[in-house]
Amino acid sequence: MLSYPVIALNFKTYLESIGENSVRLAKIAEDVAKEHGITIIVAPPLLDLEKVVKEVEIPVFAQHVDPYKPGSHTGSIIAEDVKAIGAAGSIVNHSEHRLLLADIGMVLERLRENKLISLLCTDTVETTKAGAALGPDMLAIEPPELIGTGIPVSKAKPEVVTGAVEAVKKINPSVHILCGAGISTGDDVAKAIELGTEGVLLASAYVKAKDPKKVLSEMAEAALKAWESRRV
Amino acid sequence: MLSYPVIALNFKTYLESIGENSVRLAKIAEDVAKEHGITIIVAPPLLDLEKVVKEVEIPVFAQHVDPYKPGSHTGSIIAEDVKAIGAAGSIVNHSEHRLLLADIGMVLERLRENKLISLLCTDTVETTKAGAALGPDMLAIEPPELIGTGIPVSKAKPEVVTGAVEAVKKINPSVHILCGAGISTGDDVAKAIELGTEGVLLASAYVKAKDPKKVLSEMAEAALKAWESRRV
Amino acid sequence: MLSYPVIALNFKTYLESIGENSVRLAKIAEDVAKEHGITIIVAPPLLDLEKVVKEVEIPVFAQHVDPYKPGSHTGSIIAEDVKAIGAAGSIVNHSEHRLLLADIGMVLERLRENKLISLLCTDTVETTKAGAALGPDMLAIEPPELIGTGIPVSKAKPEVVTGAVEAVKKINPSVHILCGAGISTGDDVAKAIELGTEGVLLASAYVKAKDPKKVLSEMAEAALKAWESRRV
Amino acid sequence: MLSYPVIALNFKTYLESIGENSVRLAKIAEDVAKEHGITIIVAPPLLDLEKVVKEVEIPVFAQHVDPYKPGSHTGSIIAEDVKAIGAAGSIVNHSEHRLLLADIGMVLERLRENKLISLLCTDTVETTKAGAALGPDMLAIEPPELIGTGIPVSKAKPEVVTGAVEAVKKINPSVHILCGAGISTGDDVAKAIELGTEGVLLASAYVKAKDPKKVLSEMAEAALKAWESRRV
């Protein structure tokens, strides 16, 4: 099981994150995780997933998994294969890869069957309630209109974050809740944790940073400090 | 507001239900509703929706609505137009027209804004929990593998029905729960209500019946009788 | 069969085109068609299709048809029903309702079987070649980036229009070719015909016009004049 | 450039083809290719693609590529990444991963830009015409109803194969045409080539064979023999 707080890094499929860059970015994340003693998850492009798994010891997630069992499917991502290559879990229903409600149910089941950790993305307080009811391991609320903007959800829409935190507590308190969209600095991460989340999901602020290590180290520090304050 | 129990008839798009047949089937349903004093909802093909609305006084539903506001959309079904032509509500996320989780949230909002009644379909106890959290007016659980088989969910998978009933009670007791798939006789309807539902959703057993009036009358009678027994 | 040139009006699903507005806009189009002796096609919202068919004598098209035969389909638009309510044809694969290549093949077959006229939309010279090979009755090339901009394809990308015209002539000369996207004035229509098309497909410039009759009359006049010049 | 005839092996995502099995099956294919001097393409599961590329010297294809350029996309397969990990090309629009017509146009462009070979799948003579017009390097016609049946298209529907061969010759003779669906034996392969194709696309007959090497060797031999006869 993972320890919290968590920083989850979605590498997406930028020029800066495909091919060998995926390994480079994952190793930096591993360094920061070790130096600060914090859980950092990396989700490299699917084609680079196994390569990254082999190079780092932090949890590596797929960016997407299909709802199918192994069989006659072409171009699909099968949970059994995610497991076979050694990944730890998967993002589910990212706003850039939305799924049918019925398929989300099946994907979560497929991940559970394969002992893979699920990180479900939702977009509103309403769909967060629905998502929590489905029982993923983690859930990240990301208002899609803020993704990639640098305007952090934790500042622009704090009521969405607190609404989601409350909804999860009420519907299914065993789900760990993160938030995402526009998270760019240590401050944004601190604010997210102060609002009651257990971590953040981000992409471009890390992948496209001039100095990814510096950005991530600040986030790790801010996360741990905010976490500590909350416990007191 | 509707009175319960409810029999919801999805006309789908069979040869027996398109064009003028949609009016014929709706009028029979209206007769049975009046004779038995029971709520019967009809959902004719989209192209025949307005025609049916003009011919009967029972609630007429769209089979599907898109998540969009009025605007630059081609070939879409807009809640404002469903309202404009006088329909009462819409089926949402039928197993033959599955939606993204994010879109279900938006469709339900669009229906609420237009004072239209929502009947959300789900397929498992898990997705029923999620569906209940989204707060539709009605929710029908339909295991897709039983749709059109004549094997009633209320007999083949009673645990799915009772599981869904319990889930809805726990997550959002204001949601009215129906069940569907394989419902063909008065007995099936009675069993569904005995298991705790407030009605049924069916299609081919009515649309393709040799004597639709007879089939529906038996269902209406059985529904009311089972409902009465439950209240005692 | 239709006479050319053709002005095809996609009403989409604007507030200005749903419900009774669809009839109002269709009647204006009918007036212009009769006054100028030109073919004008109207494609009202699906929910308003039958109502419009009953009120005007010009060709009325669906905005979309699904690839299915009548049967167990919910919320779908079936060619047999389009025919049953008296429509003349359908738009296929509009940029706001894109279809799988395999489904386009089936939709065109379904329309042919029901003696309905097909108006296939494509987006590039390459997909226009593919579309022409599928043998629709009409084909409209619409670069999606220009739709709704008021920047006419006939002026902004004349090489796309002439490329499409040549491609259709070479691959399947029996297909009538239109162009669309950004068409707002009589001038735009004239230019489209001068480039070799047999008409235009437009939406907002008509639906959202302060004086739709004036706009459409100018287009009709310009179309006929350009057509006449081409024949000389 | 590839030499013809070609045997293309879609590994799909069977238990027998995911993880390390993908390498095992690819190495057998490489052995057969070298022994017989014939082009054999393998398309392993996406998660296993790079691993296979590193282990064999025959052309390795992705099973699917998305139409996007590198950027803010999650869970997508980007042509630049397919190239970066050393694959030679990609299957496009397989019947288990159908694409929008507009997206097929873009995927083929993305593959061309990255100097990757395209193998486009189509399902009927009509869509084969459309597919040929789009100019892929190779095109495989596969009637979906025969996939996985063991009933070879080359015997069950020879007219579909010859119709496709003629269509391609007429519309775009630079496209190499294969056929697929139900191909299980050397005889099926020979028949496919006798009908005018330049090779076959198959999956389960190889992946699920008790002795894949034997099956593939027979196919290679039959292909070369039929090819030789055709040249005479």
Side-chain angles (χ1 to χ4, degrees), chain C residues 123-124 126-127, chain D residues 67 100-110 112 134:
Chain C
D123 59 337
T124 62
E126 290 307 302
T127 55
Chain D
L100 304 179
L101 169 58
D103 284 349
I104 296 176
M106 281 194 279
V107 167
L108 293 177
E109 200 183 310
R110 308 287 2 272
R112 259 178 240 126
L134 291 166

Side-chain angles (χ1 to χ4, degrees), chain B residues 10-15 17-20 45-51 54 62-64 66 68-78 80-82 84-85 91 94 96-97 147, chain C residues 10-15 17-20 45-51 54 62-64 66 68-78 80-82 84-85 91 94 96-97 147:
Chain B
N10 177 6
F11 286 6
K12 298 195 176 178
T13 49
Y14 293 108
L15 266 186
S17 63
I18 61 175
E20 290 306 318
L46 292 166
L47 294 182
D48 304 299
L49 188 59
E50 184 170 22
K51 182 170 48 194
K54 288 193 170 145
Q63 290 179 11
H64 166 73
D66 283 297
Y68 314 126
K69 294 193 180 184
S72 191
H73 305 291
T74 295
S76 294
I77 308 299
I78 304 298
E80 276 74 5
D81 208 359
V82 173
I85 66 175
I91 294 173
H94 188 273
E96 291 157 9
H97 213 128
I147 292 179
Chain C
N10 176 5
F11 286 6
K12 298 195 176 180
T13 50
Y14 293 108
L15 266 186
S17 64
I18 61 176
E20 290 306 318
L46 292 166
L47 295 182
D48 304 300
L49 188 59
E50 184 170 22
K51 183 169 47 194
K54 288 191 170 148
Q63 290 180 11
H64 166 74
D66 283 298
Y68 313 127
K69 294 193 180 183
S72 191
H73 306 291
T74 296
S76 294
I77 308 300
I78 303 298
E80 276 74 4
D81 208 359
V82 173
I85 66 175
I91 293 172
H94 188 272
E96 293 158 6
H97 213 129
I147 292 180

Side-chain angles (χ1 to χ4, degrees), chain B residues 141-187:
Chain B
I141 178 158
E142 293 199 301
E145 67 276 17
L146 296 177
I147 292 179
T149 60
I151 303 167
V153 59
S154 46
K155 286 180 183 164
K157 300 202 166 183
E159 75 286 359
V160 169
V161 177
T162 52
V165 168
E166 276 165 41
V168 167
K169 266 190 203 149
K170 200 177 154 192
I171 303 252
N172 196 343
S174 68
V175 175
H176 297 280
I177 182 147
L178 317 184
C179 75
I183 303 288
S184 311
T185 68
D187 258 17

Side-chain angles (χ1 to χ4, degrees), chain C residues 92-104:
Chain C
V92 179
N93 192 46
H94 188 272
S95 74
E96 293 158 6
H97 213 129
R98 285 290 189 231
L99 299 179
L100 304 178
L101 169 58
D103 284 349
I104 296 176

Side-chain angles (χ1 to χ4, degrees), chain D:
Chain D
M1 288 299 83
L2 304 175
S3 77
Y4 291 84
V6 155
I7 298 176
L9 301 171
N10 178 5
F11 286 6
K12 297 195 176 179
T13 50
Y14 293 108
L15 267 185
E16 292 87 345
S17 63
I18 61 175
E20 290 307 318
N21 281 330
S22 62
V23 175
R24 184 182 55 81
L25 287 170
K27 283 189 168 170
I28 296 172
E30 185 182 36
D31 287 349
V32 176
K34 286 185 177 166
E35 284 168 21
H36 292 268
I38 187 170
T39 302
I40 298 180
I41 295 166
V42 291
L46 292 166
L47 295 181
D48 305 300
L49 187 59
E50 184 169 23
K51 183 170 45 195
V52 171
V53 165
K54 288 192 171 147
E55 295 284 344
V56 299
E57 288 175 346
I58 54 177
V60 181
F61 275 37
Q63 290 179 11
H64 165 74
V65 166
D66 283 297
Y68 314 128
K69 294 194 177 182
S72 191
H73 306 290
T74 295
S76 294
I77 307 300
I78 304 297
E80 275 75 4
D81 209 359
V82 174
K83 188 71 182 181
I85 66 176
S90 183
I91 294 173
V92 179
N93 191 45
H94 188 272
S95 74
E96 292 157 9
H97 214 128
R98 285 290 187 228
L99 299 179
L100 304 179
L101 169 58
D103 284 349
I104 296 176
M106 281 194 279
V107 167
L108 293 177
E109 200 183 310
R110 308 287 2 272
L111 293 174
R112 259 178 240 126
E113 273 175 41
N114 285 280
K115 298 197 167 41
L116 292 163
I117 303 168
S118 52
L119 168 46
L120 175 66
C121 298
T122 56
D123 58 338
T124 62
V125 175
E126 292 305 305
T127 55
T128 299
K129 288 180 191 172
L134 291 166
D137 296 303
M138 289 182 276
L139 187 153
I141 179 159
E142 292 200 301
E145 68 276 17
L146 296 177
I147 292 179
T149 59
I151 303 168
V153 59
S154 46
K155 285 180 184 165
K157 300 202 167 185
E159 75 285 0
V160 169
V161 177
T162 51
V165 168
E166 277 165 40
V168 166
K169 263 189 206 151
K170 199 177 154 192
I171 303 252
N172 196 344
S174 68
V175 175
H176 296 279
I177 183 146
L178 317 183
C179 73
I183 302 288
S184 311
T185 68
D187 259 18
D188 302 342
V189 175
K191 182 81 166 128
I193 289 173
E194 287 159 17
L195 291 171
T197 71
E198 298 170 83
V200 292
L201 172 61
L202 66 135
S204 57
Y206 178 68
V207 173
K208 306 199 128 202
K210 279 191 193 169
D211 187 345
K213 180 155 191 184
K214 187 162 167 265
V215 168
L216 191 56
S217 297
E218 284 170 9
M219 287 180 175
E221 220 166 300
L224 291 167
K225 200 172 157 193
W227 190 254
E228 203 49 46
S229 305
R230 223 170 73 182
R231 302 188 119 193
V232 180

Side-chain angles (χ1 to χ4, degrees), chain A residues 205-218:
Chain A
Y206 178 69
V207 173
K208 305 199 130 201
K210 279 190 189 168
D211 187 344
K213 181 155 189 185
K214 186 160 167 268
V215 167
L216 191 56
S217 297
E218 284 170 8

